[in-house]
């Protein structure tokens, strides 16, 4: 289970979530990948992949406590042969529309219908956010090098505790990093990483116009423009992960490396 938590609005977290999920599905064609949009109010995963809105999702949340596997599967949309998507509701729902018990049930349904579960989380912290942070095998805290993301990282650290940030499953992503870095960039970077002690963020390069073009085409960046610097970095990060096939055996990514 991979979960992506934004540290500030506009940091490109949904774009990264979609592209990671698509890259995992492309590199592991024998695995069922499921992309779950838990942004109950303004989720954009479906828009990124040019999927239609469906009232089935709203109905599912209305009866989430009793939702069964057939009802869950009826809500899924195919983005590719082995990538399914549970989109955000077509209506704005209050954040307390899902309580921790409902969340555990939804995650249970999602995991039962997938081999790899990728979750796009909202910027807001909810009653069930910590449940995802702790249960994820790979938790990505995504931001950009600015004061908003730095403040978000500090607040999240104060809320969740430094043990979360220092845990092996937690990864800090710095998105839209310029190729040429000035001395002021280095100073801002040092200030950003100060709460992390020895944990270094993963630097994701600026994807340029290719990111916008891929979104306009309703495609993932690795599929639309695989030689884009951001796409190459995402594919390299995916190659460092090891997934488990339905038979229970570890299946390394094509590079043969493991996390």
């Amino acid at each position: 289970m991979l979960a992506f938590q934004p540290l500030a609005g506009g940091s490109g977290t949904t774009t990264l979530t979609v592209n990671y999920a698509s890259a995992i599905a492309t590199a592991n064609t024998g695995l069922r990948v499921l992309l779950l949009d838990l942004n109950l109010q303004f989720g954009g995963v479906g828009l990124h992949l040019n999927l239609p809105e469906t009232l089935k999702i709203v109905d599912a949340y209305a009866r989430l406590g009793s939702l069964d596997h057939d009802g869950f599967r009826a809500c899924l949309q195919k983005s590719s042969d082995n990538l399914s998507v549970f989109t955000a509701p077509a209506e704005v729902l209050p954040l307390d529309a899902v309580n921790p018990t409902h969340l555990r049930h939804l995650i249970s349904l999602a995991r039962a219908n997938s081999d790899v579960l990728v979750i796009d989380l909202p910027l807001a912290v909810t009653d069930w956010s910590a449940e995802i942070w702790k249960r994820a095998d790979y938790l990505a805290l995504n931001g950009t090098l600015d004061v908003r993301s730095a403040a978000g990282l500090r607040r999240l650290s104060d809320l969740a505790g430094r043990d979360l940030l220092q845990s092996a499953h937690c990864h800090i992503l710095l998105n839209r990093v310029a190729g040429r870095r000035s001395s002021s960039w280095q100073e801002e970077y040092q200030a950003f990483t100060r709460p992390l002690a020895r944990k270094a963020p993963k630097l994701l390069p600026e994807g340029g116009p290719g990111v916008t073009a891929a979104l306009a085409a309703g495609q993932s960046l690795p599929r639309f423009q695989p030689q884009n610097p951001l796409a190459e970095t995402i594919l390299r990060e995916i190659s460092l992960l090891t997934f488990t096939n339905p038979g229970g055996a570890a299946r390394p990514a094509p590079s043969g490396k493991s996390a």
Side-chain angles (χ1 to χ4, degrees):
M1 187 167 92
L2 297 85
F4 290 76
Q5 172 71 56
L7 295 173
S11 57
T13 304
T14 296
T15 299
L16 290 180
T17 308
V18 168
N19 285 312
Y20 267 74
S22 180
I24 292 170
T26 300
N28 299 272
T29 54
L31 299 183
R32 300 168 301 162
V33 182
L34 196 156
L35 178 51
L36 175 61
D37 191 343
L38 285 183
N39 191 332
L40 303 183
Q41 298 186 325
F42 301 103
V45 165
L47 296 174
H48 279 62
L49 293 171
N50 199 26
L51 299 174
E53 291 185 333
T54 170
L55 290 178
K56 291 180 180 179
I57 303 293
V58 178
D59 293 339
Y61 275 108
R63 56 186 181 91
L64 195 52
S66 60
L67 185 66
D68 59 16
H69 290 280
D70 289 337
F72 179 82
R73 284 192 287 267
C75 295
L76 299 181
Q77 297 187 59
K78 282 282 189 179
S79 176
S80 66
D81 288 341
N82 64 323
L83 176 59
S84 300
V85 184
F86 190 96
T87 61
E91 301 175 2
V92 175
L93 299 183
L95 291 176
D96 59 2
V98 177
N99 62 40
T101 301
H102 290 158
L103 184 278
R104 284 190 288 270
H105 180 57
L106 181 60
I107 295 299
S108 176
L109 291 171
R111 299 199 75 162
N113 287 278
S114 64
D115 303 308
V116 181
L117 174 60
V118 184
I119 302 175
D120 188 41
L121 292 168
L123 175 60
V125 174
T126 70
D127 289 341
W128 42 263
S129 295
E131 185 89 16
I132 299 292
W133 299 341
K134 294 175 182 177
R135 294 178 62 174
D137 301 293
Y138 181 106
L139 172 63
L141 308 181
N142 175 64
T144 53
L145 194 59
D146 56 33
V147 294
R148 295 183 307 119
S149 293
L153 182 62
R154 175 181 53 77
R155 291 167 183 166
L156 194 60
S157 176
D158 292 342
L159 175 66
R162 297 209 173 193
D163 286 347
L164 175 69
L165 269 63
Q166 297 302 325
S167 61
H169 80 292
C170 183
H171 305 266
I172 315 300
L173 306 184
L174 265 183
N175 197 17
R176 303 185 186 132
V177 175
R180 294 182 179 181
R181 298 161 200 168
S182 64
S183 58
S184 62
W185 187 94
Q186 294 293 344
E187 292 174 0
E188 292 173 5
Y189 178 79
Q190 293 298 326
F192 183 90
T193 57
R194 197 167 293 126
L196 301 177
R198 296 182 179 180
K199 192 160 195 167
K202 298 178 183 293
L203 305 183
L204 304 180
E206 172 62 60
V211 176
T212 303
L215 289 175
Q219 296 186 33
S220 68
L221 186 60
R223 185 183 294 272
F224 182 80
Q225 198 176 86
Q227 295 183 335
N228 183 285
L230 178 58
E232 290 180 338
T233 300
I234 291 174
L235 291 170
R236 185 165 58 250
E237 286 296 314
I238 294 306
S239 75
L240 299 175
L241 302 177
T242 297
F243 302 100
T244 301
N245 67 23
R251 171 175 178 169
S255 68
K257 300 176 182 178
S258 62

